[in-house]
């Protein structure tokens, strides 16, 4: 299906949708109304690219609802998941890192609602809206920190530690309490987890199967539930 057919334009949104989000939390409602009136709002189906790596960064985005996977393509054509972004965060902010093109692809991990603005408005937002710049760069700092942590893990940790750490990060960022544990709040496959930890599908499958037998996790139908977080913490520390 053509991607444009999978983007559904939403009706006029209320200012309350942005009042609690860090980039806009210091603003008056009239300022938020001005921001929303300049935005395009769309609903994306699961598995749709909001923007593609290398494309001209002509818009920047705010994820209102859902989850997004940030994906890079290696020179050999392999797909690598570098980050998961939860609702309430900006994405596609190439301008903030001095780029004219998107450094990665943003794929919806669930059905998602997204706001977007033309990149030409970036400087205006930074200049006129208190807290927009500081909160945006704080978000960038968190993401850079997470990426650095993963680089250290890849260089120094065994596969079991890396997978345990990845699951702990995901339940910390997106987990929801359910009966018997904490579930990652979006569909995630064993292939996704292997990309996130730079290991093979076979290895991730073997580890998860072993952890299931020990009562640490439950994995079925693209859902992973951590049933013993403390045990995973112990594994993550080697």
């Amino acid at each position: 299906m053509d991607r444009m057919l999978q983007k559904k334009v939403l009706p006029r949104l209320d200012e309350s949708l942005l009042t609690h989000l860090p980039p806009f939390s210091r603003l008056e409602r009239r300022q938020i109304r001005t921001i929303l009136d300049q935005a395009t709002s769309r609903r994306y189906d699961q598995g749709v690219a909001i923007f593609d790596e290398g494309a001209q960064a002509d818009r920047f985005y705010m994820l209102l609802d859902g989850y997004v996977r940030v994906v890079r393509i290696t020179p050999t054509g392999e797909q690598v998941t570098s980050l998961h972004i939860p609702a309430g965060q900006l994405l596609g902010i190439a301008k903030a890192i001095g780029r004219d093109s998107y450094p990665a692809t943003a794929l919806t991990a669930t059905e998602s609602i997204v706001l977007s603005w033309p990149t030409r408005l970036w400087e205006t937002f930074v200049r006129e809206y208190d807290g927009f710049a500081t909160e945006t760069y704080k978000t960038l700092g968190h993401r850079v920190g997470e990426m650095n942590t993963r680089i250290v893990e890849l260089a120094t940790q065994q596969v079991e530690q890396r997978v345990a750490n990845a699951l702990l990060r995901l339940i910390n960022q997106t987990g929801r309490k359910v009966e018997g544990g904490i579930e990652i709040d979006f569909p995630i496959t064993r292939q996704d987890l292997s990309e996130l930890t730079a290991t093979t599908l076979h290895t991730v499958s073997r580890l998860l199967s072993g952890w299931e037998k020990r009562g640490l996790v439950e994995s079925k139908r693209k859902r992973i539930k951590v049933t013993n977080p403390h045990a995973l913490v112990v594994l993550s520390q080697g």
Side-chain angles (χ1 to χ4, degrees), residues 2-236:
D2 184 89
R3 186 188 304 166
M4 289 304 296
L5 296 179
Q6 300 180 62
K7 300 177 180 178
K8 304 164 188 176
V9 179
L10 301 174
R12 191 171 189 261
L13 300 176
D14 189 80
E15 301 94 286
S16 61
L17 287 171
L18 295 188
T19 53
H20 65 292
L21 301 179
F24 309 107
S25 58
R26 302 184 193 177
L27 305 185
E28 298 175 7
R29 290 183 73 93
R30 63 177 179 80
Q31 293 175 305
I32 293 177
R33 182 71 265 158
T34 299
I35 289 170
L36 278 173
D37 286 344
Q38 297 176 86
T40 298
S41 58
R42 294 188 183 277
R43 177 178 282 108
Y44 291 79
D45 293 333
Q46 179 183 341
V48 175
I50 299 172
F51 53 82
D52 294 302
E53 180 177 352
Q56 186 71 21
D58 54 357
R59 302 189 75 81
F60 62 98
Y61 302 81
M62 165 66 75
L63 181 63
L64 282 184
D65 188 45
Y67 293 95
V68 165
R69 295 169 55 213
V70 178
V71 173
R72 297 291 305 276
I73 305 299
T74 69
T76 57
E78 293 178 274
Q79 179 175 290
V80 177
T81 300
S82 56
L83 287 171
H84 286 89
I85 296 178
Q89 292 194 14
L90 292 167
L91 63 154
I93 47 179
K95 191 77 171 177
I97 55 175
R99 290 185 58 122
D100 295 322
S101 60
Y102 298 116
T105 297
L107 289 173
T108 54
T110 62
E111 183 177 292
S112 300
I113 299 174
V114 181
L115 296 179
S116 70
W117 296 266
T119 298
R120 60 179 169 77
L121 293 177
W122 178 266
E123 296 295 346
T124 302
F125 281 22
V126 168
R127 182 177 63 252
E128 296 186 2
Y129 299 127
D130 184 39
F132 180 83
T134 54
E135 293 299 333
T136 297
Y137 289 113
K138 191 183 295 183
T139 296
L140 278 177
H142 287 317
R143 290 178 189 170
V144 170
E146 182 177 338
M147 293 300 298
N148 286 340
T149 297
R150 289 189 57 208
I151 290 169
V152 171
E153 288 175 1
L154 290 175
T156 63
Q157 294 186 350
Q158 300 296 320
V159 172
E160 185 175 55
Q161 290 176 271
R162 299 205 302 267
V163 176
N165 271 310
L167 288 177
L168 289 169
R169 267 195 300 274
L170 288 170
I171 64 169
N172 182 56
Q173 294 170 350
T174 72
R176 62 187 181 96
K177 290 186 178 180
V178 295
E179 184 177 353
I182 306 173
E183 185 176 76
I184 297 170
D185 195 27
F186 59 86
I188 183 167
T189 66
R190 296 185 176 194
Q191 180 63 45
D192 294 333
L193 200 54
S194 71
E195 292 174 10
L196 200 57
T197 54
T199 188
T200 66
L201 174 59
H202 172 75
T203 299
V204 168
S205 295
R206 177 176 55 80
L207 282 173
L208 289 182
S209 295
W211 291 349
E212 285 193 68
K213 291 176 182 177
R214 294 163 58 185
L216 276 61
V217 301
E218 291 180 11
S219 172
K220 56 184 178 181
R221 294 191 296 275
K222 297 184 180 181
R223 291 286 178 178
I224 298 178
K225 178 171 69 175
V226 175
T227 51
N228 191 336
H230 177 71
L232 268 193
V233 171
V234 173
L235 285 174
S236 73

